[in-house]
Amino acid sequence: MAKKEETVSLIDSLAEFKELKSIDKETMIHVLEDSFRNVLAKMFGSDENFDVIINPEKGDFEIWRTRVVVEDGAVSDASKEVGLTESHVIDPEAEVGDEVTDSVNFAAFGRRAVLNLRQALSSKILELQKSNFYNVFSQKVGELVSAEVYQVWKREALLIDDEGNELLMPKNEQIPGDFFRKGETVHAVIERVENENNNPKVILSRTSGDFLKRLLELNVPEIADGLITVRAVARVPGERAKIAVESYDDRIDPVGACVGMNGSRIRGIVRELKGENIDVTTYTSNPILFIQRALSPAKVSAISLIEDEQRAEVYLRPDEVPLAIGKNASNLKLASLLTGYRIEVFRDVENQGEEDIYLDEFSDEIDAWVIDVLKNIGCTTAKSVLRKTREELIKTTDLEESTIDNVLDILKAEFSDMDEESTDDSEENSNHEIPEEGAAEAVEDEEIEKP
């Protein structure tokens, strides 16, 4: 009786399994039924003539066996056949050839049968648990989690979440400067779920772009509400990051919303990322303009796109090149990752030594929207516009001919004025030098007359 109660207690624990392992009761019942059948198959060679009935409401189970009635002494397989005399105990009206069904007391099969059942059940529950664990976390890839540090090794750290699940964070997924202590709460994103040899592992990351995205969602309500979208992220973990954001509401400045007043929103993220500098820029579908913004704080003179190679040739003044490249080439690398283009930087030697002016400085004479259109075709300076033909500007900008003519007149006039000023300076210098030479000649004449 004790053995039967021990077996019945397996069913009583279904609710506990459901609560701890997120395995629903119906699934557990199927697992228990399969476990019974596996044990019966091992004991009798087959489970075809057995019916296992589990009653989750009462928390009990029944096993019924169906056998064929044969003549006494003609039983060849006791699990499938029963003698006529014995069958009358089950059904007094049974005759040879009939089928009779009787209840089986599983505990009567002995202690070994109960142990086999427990082993089969534990194995299936473990397998189900692993499968459920993998499926659940596979759907959470990219989500932000908080977990407690349980143990730290040289190559990885083991963390435990609120539900007791074990999560791993390899060293290469940790930000340089991360130093974890046991019991400390750490924020990270689920990077991936591995399932090698049916042994699922959840890998966390603090270096991925998704981690920065989730932190922004946490600190910027407009992103969480869907008013602002993070379109691209590029990171050198622990050093610098660039993000491109876009607003679906013209009244909202996406960059200002992400940074916050006096940097209040971005400051907490920077602390979480161990001092990582974050550049926020406005996203645009125009690749030329996007590359210009991505290379900030450098000011680009001109850009040439090679679409087939997903490559961009960027021309800058010599003094702007170091800003575009950045320390350890970080600015150039991040701009390439952010835009998806392989960016090559060139010094604008064609006009080296010549003075150029950025288009923004003409905002008092040229409408801002016209300047933006010119920037969209890669022209950010006056000289870069003047290098293009009138027909080319009309075709690429789709502006009115009169607008292009007005822009060209303003830019040409600026450089004409500069040339005149340069000429006037030269003439002034020349007029100033003539008296000096005359004075020198006079001195020489005096010296000649003295003898």
Side-chain angles (χ1 to χ4, degrees):
M1 186 65 182
K3 293 177 180 178
K4 185 175 181 179
E5 290 176 354
E6 184 179 21
T7 307
V8 173
S9 67
L10 294 174
I11 301 177
D12 295 336
S13 64
L14 290 179
E16 180 183 353
F17 278 113
K18 177 183 177 182
E19 180 181 351
L20 297 178
K21 306 301 180 184
S22 299
I23 301 173
D24 62 275
K25 202 167 185 178
E26 185 178 350
T27 302
M28 282 300 304
I29 289 172
H30 287 304
V31 168
L32 188 58
E33 183 178 343
D34 288 343
S35 299
F36 272 115
R37 288 192 171 279
N38 286 341
V39 174
L40 292 171
K42 287 181 181 179
M43 293 177 60
F44 301 106
S46 174
D47 65 322
E48 293 178 359
N49 60 317
F50 287 91
D51 290 315
V52 180
I53 302 172
I54 299 174
N55 189 340
E57 302 300 329
K58 294 182 179 180
D60 61 3
F61 66 92
E62 298 175 357
I63 300 177
W64 294 88
R65 176 176 54 183
T66 301
R67 291 179 291 177
V68 178
V69 179
V70 298
E71 295 287 352
D72 292 336
V75 176
S76 59
D77 186 348
S79 65
K80 295 181 179 180
E81 298 174 342
V82 60
L84 181 59
T85 303
E86 186 180 348
S87 69
H88 288 161
V89 177
I90 302 170
D91 182 1
E93 299 180 359
E95 297 180 359
V96 174
D98 291 345
E99 290 184 347
V100 292
T101 303
D102 61 331
S103 177
V104 176
N105 183 359
F106 189 83
F109 292 145
R111 185 171 178 272
R112 181 176 295 276
V114 175
L115 291 176
N116 287 341
L117 176 63
R118 278 187 170 278
Q119 185 177 359
L121 183 60
S122 298
S123 177
K124 284 189 174 291
I125 287 175
L126 180 60
E127 184 179 336
L128 186 64
Q129 179 184 333
K130 288 181 178 180
S131 176
N132 186 67
F133 180 84
Y134 178 79
N135 293 334
V136 168
F137 279 94
S138 292
Q139 297 175 4
K140 293 183 177 181
V141 171
E143 290 186 11
L144 184 69
V145 296
S146 297
E148 184 179 305
V149 178
Y150 183 75
Q151 196 164 355
V152 179
W153 298 293
K154 185 176 181 180
R155 296 185 178 180
E156 61 184 6
L158 174 64
L159 297 90
I160 307 294
D161 67 6
D162 294 337
E163 297 179 354
N165 298 305
E166 295 184 354
L167 317 172
L168 292 173
M169 189 188 300
K171 192 69 176 177
N172 62 351
E173 298 292 350
Q174 300 173 22
I175 299 173
D178 274 343
F179 181 76
F180 302 135
R181 295 180 177 85
K182 185 173 181 179
E184 179 183 1
T185 300
V186 173
H187 301 290
V189 293
I190 299 174
E191 176 70 9
R192 62 186 182 276
V193 183
E194 300 175 351
N195 195 23
E196 187 176 352
N197 298 324
N198 196 30
N199 185 28
K201 294 180 181 179
V202 177
I203 306 300
L204 301 182
S205 174
R206 285 169 56 82
T207 62
S208 74
D210 284 337
F211 183 49
L212 179 51
K213 279 185 181 181
R214 300 292 91 81
L215 291 177
L216 283 165
E217 291 173 2
L218 202 63
N219 289 271
V220 182
E222 291 85 350
I223 295 179
D225 294 340
L227 298 175
I228 296 176
T229 299
V230 180
R231 296 299 299 267
V233 175
R235 293 182 65 194
V236 177
E239 295 182 17
R240 192 174 180 183
K242 286 180 180 285
I243 61 173
V245 293
E246 182 179 22
S247 172
Y248 294 112
D249 190 334
D250 295 337
R251 297 170 297 178
I252 298 176
D253 172 21
V255 175
C258 291
V259 174
M261 187 165 295
N262 298 324
S264 58
R265 290 179 173 177
I266 208 75
R267 196 177 298 120
I269 299 175
V270 171
R271 281 198 300 268
E272 179 70 40
L273 300 181
K274 305 300 179 183
E276 190 172 307
N277 292 320
I278 302 173
D279 298 336
V280 186
T281 187
T282 305
Y283 173 81
T284 174
S285 57
N286 184 313
I288 291 177
L289 186 56
F290 193 25
I291 291 170
Q292 291 176 17
R293 292 173 179 175
L295 285 171
S296 177
K299 294 183 177 180
V300 177
S301 298
I303 295 177
S304 177
L305 294 182
I306 299 88
E307 294 288 358
D308 295 342
E309 303 176 16
Q310 200 71 4
R311 181 166 59 89
E313 295 179 352
V314 179
Y315 297 88
L316 307 99
R317 293 181 185 178
D319 59 326
E320 295 289 338
V321 171
L323 290 175
I325 296 175
K327 184 180 179 182
N328 298 324
S330 62
N331 196 59
L332 184 61
K333 185 191 302 181
L334 289 172
S336 296
L337 291 172
L338 193 72
T339 61
Y341 280 81
R342 182 163 60 89
I343 301 175
E344 297 178 354
V345 172
F346 298 91
R347 288 180 174 83
D348 193 4
V349 294
E350 182 180 341
N351 296 287
Q352 189 171 353
E354 298 182 11
E355 185 172 356
D356 201 352
I357 304 173
Y358 287 105
L359 291 179
D360 290 332
E361 298 184 27
F362 292 91
S363 58
D364 57 339
E365 300 176 84
I366 303 174
D367 291 337
W369 67 271
V370 176
I371 293 176
D372 289 338
V373 170
L374 293 170
K375 286 181 178 180
N376 288 347
I377 64 169
C379 298
T380 58
T381 65
K383 288 287 180 69
S384 64
V385 175
L386 294 174
R387 280 198 295 268
K388 294 182 179 292
T389 65
R390 177 178 179 273
E391 291 71 21
E392 186 180 358
L393 288 171
I394 293 172
K395 182 179 179 181
T396 55
T397 62
D398 201 26
L399 293 172
E400 297 288 339
E401 293 184 14
S402 58
T403 304
I404 293 296
D405 290 337
N406 181 51
V407 169
L408 292 174
D409 289 343
I410 292 172
L411 300 183
K412 287 176 181 177
E414 180 69 24
F415 286 102
S416 296
D417 293 342
M418 291 174 62
D419 290 340
E420 290 177 5
E421 289 176 6
S422 177
T423 303
D424 292 342
D425 290 342
S426 298
E427 290 177 355
E428 288 177 7
N429 291 337
S430 298
N431 292 333
H432 183 65
E433 289 171 357
I434 290 173
E436 290 180 355
E437 291 177 0
E441 291 174 359
V443 171
E444 290 176 0
D445 291 342
E446 290 176 1
E447 290 177 351
I448 294 172
E449 292 174 359
K450 281 182 179 179

